[in-house]
Amino acid sequence: MADDPQRNFRSTYYEKVGFRGVEEKKSLEILLKDNPLDLEKLSTFSQRFPLPSMYRVHVWKVLLGILPPHSDSHTLVGSYRKDQYQDIMEALEDEENEDFLSISQAMEEIVEDPVDCYWLIKSFISQFHTKFGDSIPHLPKSLEHYLSQEEPGLLSHLKNSGALAQLPYSLWFRRCFAGCLPESSLQRVWDKVISGSCKILVFVALEILLSYKIMLLGISRPEGVVKFLCNIPQENTDVIVTKAIDLWHKYCGTPIHAM
């Protein structure tokens, strides 16, 4: 797939969670007919098969516990954060919940419809942990390697000051920059993650360090470095992401499924 900076990441997910099979439809119709409020069966089904859009609202309501028996109401409730995504959070380790909530909050700023938002978050989290769960712990070393190639002086400063080990890796790599980048820039990064590469996260982090090199070199305490990197200026992030994508191509060619 050719890289298109204007391609909205949501289009990829609408394709991935779209309904194409016949057997899945038959299975779900039988399930809903037998017992529309069987939460365990619905949860199992939604984990095994992509759902057609005609059923997503129904299942979403059932999982939230807001659909009474035989109800035809199409009224949707507002965002509940933890309550709304409880079925997803139960599948995560406790320490992953805050990362998940940061991603969900960012997604809610991007996607207006709460049902679409729910399924996009569910798919994003599932793909991220399934495909990249084993790779995420190695990304800090990868960042160190590329920083040594691009700016060894800055790397030495971060090491000597003790800041390198305390960089906001969770914010960058586990939360995929949710809460760090504004939504307009975040979509471009997530587009690459969804397309099959978590390594783009390394190059976004690298470009942040390079872009604020002068500022970082002037900070001697690690907590000062972390505080600044967790609250980077928001007006220059589109340029940072563009340069990060250029670095990604420089070191990885034109990757389709890098790392």
Side-chain angles (χ1 to χ4, degrees):
M1 182 185 298
D3 287 315
D4 182 357
Q6 302 302 317
R7 177 177 169 82
N8 191 303
F9 78 93
R10 283 169 285 178
S11 62
T12 303
Y13 263 0
Y14 288 134
E15 295 168 3
K16 289 194 175 186
V17 301
F19 171 66
R20 293 184 176 85
V22 175
E23 295 304 320
E24 290 88 341
K25 179 179 179 181
K26 290 181 179 178
S27 299
L28 186 57
E29 286 178 341
I30 294 172
L31 177 62
L32 294 177
K33 181 179 179 181
D34 289 345
N35 187 352
L37 294 181
D38 192 329
L39 298 183
E40 182 177 355
K41 289 183 179 179
L42 276 172
S43 297
T44 301
F45 185 93
S46 66
Q47 292 293 333
R48 292 181 57 201
F49 303 113
L51 292 173
S53 59
M54 63 185 290
Y55 291 124
R56 288 182 195 142
V57 173
H58 186 101
V59 176
W60 180 77
K61 289 179 179 180
V62 170
L63 290 173
L64 290 183
I66 63 173
L67 182 65
H70 312 298
S71 172
D72 293 325
S73 173
H74 292 285
T75 303
L76 300 179
V77 298
S79 171
Y80 287 116
R81 291 292 189 272
K82 291 187 178 181
D83 291 338
Q84 181 172 350
Y85 305 117
Q86 189 64 38
D87 67 306
I88 308 175
M89 294 177 66
E90 287 176 355
L92 302 175
E93 299 293 335
D94 289 342
E95 63 268 18
E96 296 173 337
N97 285 342
E98 291 304 317
D99 299 335
F100 162 76
L101 289 173
S102 294
I103 292 174
S104 68
Q105 183 175 3
M107 189 76 80
E108 286 173 349
E109 295 296 321
I110 298 170
V111 183
E112 294 183 0
D113 184 88
V115 181
D116 284 346
C117 185
Y118 171 86
W119 291 108
L120 287 170
I121 292 170
K122 191 177 184 72
S123 297
F124 187 99
I125 295 296
S126 175
Q127 173 177 302
F128 190 73
H129 283 277
T130 300
K131 289 190 173 182
F132 308 129
D134 293 337
S135 300
I136 298 303
H138 303 290
L139 297 187
K141 278 295 182 183
S142 185
L143 173 61
E144 182 178 342
H145 168 73
Y146 291 118
L147 184 57
S148 71
Q149 303 298 306
E150 291 289 321
E151 193 58 57
L154 178 57
L155 176 61
S156 295
H157 172 73
L158 294 175
K159 283 184 175 180
N160 295 335
S161 66
L164 184 65
Q166 299 185 38
L167 295 181
Y169 296 123
S170 179
L171 175 65
W172 291 346
F173 302 147
R174 294 175 61 88
R175 301 184 185 185
C176 301
F177 292 94
C180 177
L181 300 177
E183 283 70 34
S184 60
S185 300
L186 196 60
Q187 291 185 57
R188 298 175 62 199
V189 177
W190 285 6
D191 181 41
K192 300 297 181 290
V193 174
I194 292 167
S195 296
S197 173
C198 69
K199 205 165 190 177
I200 185 62
L201 302 175
V202 172
F203 292 105
V204 174
L206 175 61
E207 185 55 44
I208 288 175
L209 295 177
L210 296 177
S211 296
Y212 296 108
K213 177 183 69 172
I214 302 300
M215 177 71 71
L216 295 173
L217 288 173
I219 303 176
S220 58
R221 299 181 65 84
E223 57 268 26
V225 171
V226 173
K227 182 178 180 179
F228 175 78
L229 292 175
C230 288
N231 299 277
I232 63 171
Q234 301 290 285
E235 65 271 8
N236 197 39
T237 56
D238 282 341
V239 175
I240 287 175
V241 172
T242 297
K243 291 182 177 180
I245 293 173
D246 289 341
L247 286 170
W248 185 49
H249 291 312
K250 173 183 175 180
Y251 286 103
C252 301
T254 306
I256 297 178
H257 299 290
M259 200 166 178

